[in-house]
Amino acid sequence: MTTEEKPDALARLADNVAQVPGIGRKTAERIAFHVLQMSDEAAASLCSAIMDVKKTTRCSVCCNVVDADPCPICVDAKRDRSAICVVERPADVRSIERATGFRGLYHVLGGHIAPLEGVHAENLTIGRLVTRVVDGSVKEVIIATNPTVEGDLTATYLAQALSRFALVVSRIAKGVPSGSTLDYATRAVLTDAFSGRKPMRTGSA
Ligand SMILES: [Zn+2]
């Protein structure tokens, strides 16, 4: 089927899907065609999930994207308040919750430092993280940024920023393939990377 023969709605859906970073034209067309073949119920569920995402908010404590502020993890009295796991994206919180037995708190940076893309430390929630550790109740900050150049750069920056506090800054082990992202790591690999975390040297300590 050529582009000219496509019904308008199908082309319009493909146009919209193609706006998502990393989704090429061919994939967008495949997704649009998949939606066409979905049941009415499945399509309605997809629509409402999209609309619900627009109603989410940011947790004022951990900066995760959630339905309620503060989020269920931050208000859970059973969680270990002496450990904070720092991740780039909300999806990483879900990956770590699924894969590991970590029962501490989280902090979502909202991305990574990438000077070439114009993303600097002040564009992330690093200042908010620092305010969470000043009272001394946090004993370990586990940095679980992605094992990419930007993730490593962000981890080094965080270790420096936290070096004046009496706490351990650790980085998850390299079990997650270098250049990969946490959401693509298998559960076993992520579990090993998490339990094999090592304290970082900041250079100033
Ligand atoms: Zn929270």
Side-chain angles (χ1 to χ4, degrees):
M1 185 161 68
T2 66
T3 312
E4 292 73 40
E5 290 164 346
K6 249 181 228 155
D8 278 350
L10 194 57
R12 200 150 48 84
L13 178 55
D15 289 344
N16 279 281
V17 173
Q19 305 293 315
V20 178
I23 302 239
R25 185 73 214 172
K26 282 249 172 320
T27 305
E29 286 175 5
R30 207 160 54 233
I31 291 170
F33 194 68
H34 174 75
V35 171
L36 177 67
Q37 293 173 312
M38 275 179 165
S39 68
D40 287 353
E41 292 75 23
S45 168
L46 176 61
C47 280
S48 77
I50 290 171
M51 296 314 290
D52 287 349
V53 160
K54 297 306 294 174
K55 293 183 205 144
T56 55
T57 181
R58 265 188 187 274
C59 173
S60 55
V61 182
C62 68
C63 305
N64 198 1
V65 177
V66 286
D67 294 341
D69 176 28
C71 74
I73 289 179
C74 286
V75 296
D76 186 348
K78 291 201 280 296
R79 298 196 74 113
D80 176 6
R81 300 195 163 262
S82 72
I84 295 179
C85 177
V86 182
V87 297
E88 294 184 19
R89 304 262 173 217
D92 301 331
V93 173
R94 287 192 293 278
S95 299
I96 290 169
E97 282 289 287
R98 266 200 311 266
T100 74
F102 180 68
R103 294 294 293 159
L105 304 176
Y106 289 91
H107 192 84
V108 179
L109 294 173
H112 49 229
I113 298 173
L116 294 179
E117 294 161 30
V119 185
H120 304 280
E122 60 270 25
N123 302 120
L124 306 176
T125 64
I126 295 171
R128 214 86 76 81
L129 173 64
V130 171
T131 64
R132 294 180 69 185
V133 306
V134 284
D135 72 358
S137 60
V138 175
K139 302 299 176 205
E140 184 181 10
V141 171
I142 302 157
I143 303 176
T145 50
N146 290 324
T148 56
V149 172
E150 295 84 2
D152 286 344
L153 177 66
T154 308
T156 305
Y157 182 93
L158 285 171
Q160 271 305 343
L162 297 170
S163 61
R164 63 194 160 101
F165 301 103
L167 51 83
V168 175
V169 178
S170 57
R171 175 92 167 101
I172 61 165
K174 290 285 183 185
V176 179
S178 193
S180 176
T181 56
L182 292 193
D183 44 344
Y184 288 120
T186 66
R187 187 180 291 208
V189 165
L190 190 49
T191 305
D192 288 349
F194 205 84
S195 59
R197 64 185 183 269
K198 294 192 175 57
M200 289 183 78
R201 295 176 71 90
T202 63
S204 63

